[in-house]
Amino acid sequence: MRQAIMISPGKIELRDIPEPGQLKDDEVLLRIKRIGVCGSDIHVFHGKHPATPYPVVQGHEYSAIVEAVGPKVSRVKPGMRVTARPQLVCGECGPCKRGQYNACQNLKVQGFQAPGVAQDLFVTTEERIVIFPDTMTFEQGAMIEPAAVGAHSTNRTSGLKGKNVVVAGAGTIGNLVAQFALARGAAKVLITDVSDYRLNIAQQCGIGGTLNVKNISFEEGVRSFFGDDGFQVGFEAAGVQSSLDNLMQFVEKGGDVVILGVYSQNPVVNMFYLGEHELNVYGSMMYRHEDYEVAVEMISSGKIITSPLLTSSFPFNKYLDAYKFIDEQGDKSMKIMIDL
Ligand SMILES: NC(=O)c1ccc[n+]([C@@H]2O[C@H](COP(=O)([O-])OP(=O)(O)OC[C@H]3O[C@@H](n4cnc5c(N)ncnc54)[C@H](O)[C@@H]3O)[C@@H](O)[C@H]2O)c1
Ligand SMILES: [Zn+2]
Ligand SMILES: [Zn+2]
């Protein structure tokens, strides 16, 4: 079977490797259908991911068909459309014991610190599998992972019902966070970016408020959209210093700021606003199983829209071209998928 392996930054080799052998009790054999490429994959491609050694097989957001199941697998059956969480957790540390396994002290993520799914067949375990209905496409199936990031992060605060929300960054993650904020009852949501292309996609997804902070200042844009009500919750999904500063300075006193962004340069946090405005700052790390389930429910019911996010697909043997395309297109592309 085929495998794409990144042997060093910028170098992907296509190999022919043996198919997986006999399945253990709780194992499931997947035939991979689509793999989404995300910002973190690109960091690895450029040799700028702090926690990924080479060689590495990438691929952590994907859809698949169940090919075969181990003797003790009961919930999952051959032929089902599925995806699976890429987190390998220890089950023994403090966070794991209290159910916060997404922040496991010994977390390994497939595609980064453990082999990912960039191959025809892949073995995972039943507990990580999430089934999605046949009415969902494989493209939608490969969007469950980033949607689960949106599901998790919008549950980190004390609630969004009736609140005004700003999401900084209209990439795949910010877009899905904003859609989830609306679905969870936020009064008004404003999404910011420096790319009109991405803000236009946000509008196609029903996120009414968009602000290009290159043209209009954050302060002015927020005032004209929310008026005197201001905003009570901010999500940082751009990973840049200036949007973190803006959220912390302008969120209503006593408000919440949720950090999703991974910063290539460690930002300076303005402690004046954190302290004097009595802000609540929350981290948000990936997702848990229930976030995947909510993501499936919301995508299949049409409450979360993913098709405007998909820019194009590349066949498996053009894996490298997908990365080159992303580098060349920059902010004129969004989600790129590998079609197996
Ligand atoms: N916490 C998690 O669980 C989690 C999961 C996935 C990704 N992430 C991180 O979330 C961030 C967003 O992910 P993505 O895949 O959407 O990345 P992305 O790079 O596609 O999106 C980031 C967006 O921010 C925009 N941006 C740049 N400067 C800006 C500014 N000053 N104000 C507003 N927007 C600005 C960019 O134009 C881009 O559209 C990344 O840092 C990523 O590493 C976190
Ligand atoms: Zn990802
Ligand atoms: Zn653990």
Side-chain angles (χ1 to χ4, degrees):
M1 67 175 185
R2 301 170 298 170
Q3 180 187 65
I5 182 162
M6 193 172 288
I7 35 186
S8 58
K11 278 203 179 141
I12 298 175
E13 241 179 53
L14 292 176
R15 290 183 180 169
D16 191 29
I17 60 159
E19 292 190 0
Q22 187 110 43
L23 294 175
K24 295 196 192 100
D25 281 353
D26 64 339
E27 285 182 342
V28 176
L29 181 66
L30 303 177
R31 183 165 292 280
I32 306 297
K33 301 299 282 184
R34 303 282 187 282
I35 301 172
V37 179
C38 88
S40 313
D41 295 323
I42 300 295
H43 280 317
V44 177
F45 182 65
H46 291 148
K48 288 195 176 138
H49 197 278
T52 301
Y54 303 83
V56 59
V57 179
Q58 292 201 300
H60 61 282
E61 37 185 86
Y62 60 98
S63 54
I65 282 199
V66 176
E67 185 88 359
V69 300
K72 295 218 168 122
V73 170
S74 57
R75 184 172 58 92
V76 176
K77 311 257 186 294
M80 281 179 164
R81 290 176 181 225
V82 300
T83 182
R85 275 182 302 108
Q87 298 143 306
L88 306 179
V89 304
C90 76
E92 280 160 18
C93 68
C96 277
K97 279 191 184 144
R98 59 175 183 261
Q100 199 181 3
Y101 54 85
N102 55 312
C104 168
Q105 298 277 24
N106 304 300
L107 178 69
K108 286 193 169 73
V109 181
Q110 291 169 332
F112 299 91
Q113 301 84 30
V117 306
Q119 55 196 43
D120 285 306
L121 296 166
F122 185 77
V123 177
T124 190
T125 52
E126 183 180 29
E127 48 130 17
R128 270 200 282 282
I129 294 224
V130 176
I131 301 159
F132 63 88
D134 290 350
T135 50
M136 268 172 67
T137 63
F138 288 119
E139 283 75 18
Q140 287 175 312
M143 292 298 283
I144 294 167
E145 193 265 5
V149 173
H152 186 73
S153 60
T154 49
N155 259 346
R156 291 287 295 144
T157 72
S158 51
L160 298 177
K161 267 208 177 70
K163 293 189 181 158
N164 287 341
V165 172
V166 173
V167 179
T172 302
I173 296 298
N175 180 301
L176 291 162
V177 169
Q179 289 196 59
F180 262 99
L182 285 166
R184 293 200 195 278
K188 288 175 90 180
V189 175
L190 179 70
I191 191 165
T192 74
D193 206 285
V194 291
S195 155
D196 282 331
Y197 174 87
R198 288 177 170 209
L199 291 171
N200 183 36
I201 291 175
Q203 263 156 14
Q204 289 171 45
C205 294
I207 305 158
T210 57
L211 171 66
N212 190 328
V213 289
K214 232 168 44 180
N215 306 333
I216 298 171
S217 79
F218 184 90
E219 186 179 12
E220 205 183 319
V222 159
R223 200 184 314 114
S224 83
F225 188 69
F226 297 115
D228 290 343
D229 294 341
F231 68 102
Q232 292 73 46
V233 185
F235 290 89
E236 208 297 305
V240 298
Q241 175 83 57
S242 60
S243 66
L244 176 66
D245 289 344
N246 283 330
L247 292 175
M248 292 194 53
Q249 182 174 351
F250 295 111
V251 70
E252 186 178 282
K253 287 188 182 182
D256 300 336
V257 177
V258 183
I259 308 297
L260 288 109
V262 175
Y263 299 81
S264 50
Q265 191 154 4
N266 198 28
V268 175
V269 179
N270 191 319
M271 289 301 172
F272 173 78
Y273 295 116
L274 181 57
E276 303 270 322
H277 289 191
E278 204 164 89
L279 303 181
N280 308 300
V281 178
Y282 299 90
S284 186
M285 177 55 178
M286 300 180 88
Y287 31 64
R288 294 198 280 270
H289 199 78
E290 59 269 29
D291 298 310
Y292 259 63
E293 285 173 340
V294 169
V296 169
E297 195 186 302
M298 298 293 271
I299 295 173
S300 65
S301 64
K303 290 189 189 117
I304 298 286
I305 305 170
T306 60
S307 59
L309 278 67
L310 189 61
T311 305
S312 57
S313 298
F314 286 77
F316 189 78
N317 57 3
K318 295 263 182 342
Y319 221 109
L320 188 60
D321 291 354
Y323 285 81
K324 288 184 182 157
F325 179 85
I326 293 166
D327 278 349
E328 282 158 17
Q329 294 300 308
D331 68 357
K332 300 236 165 12
S333 74
M334 196 95 143
K335 182 56 73 186
I336 304 297
M337 283 191 190
I338 307 295
D339 185 345
L340 283 88

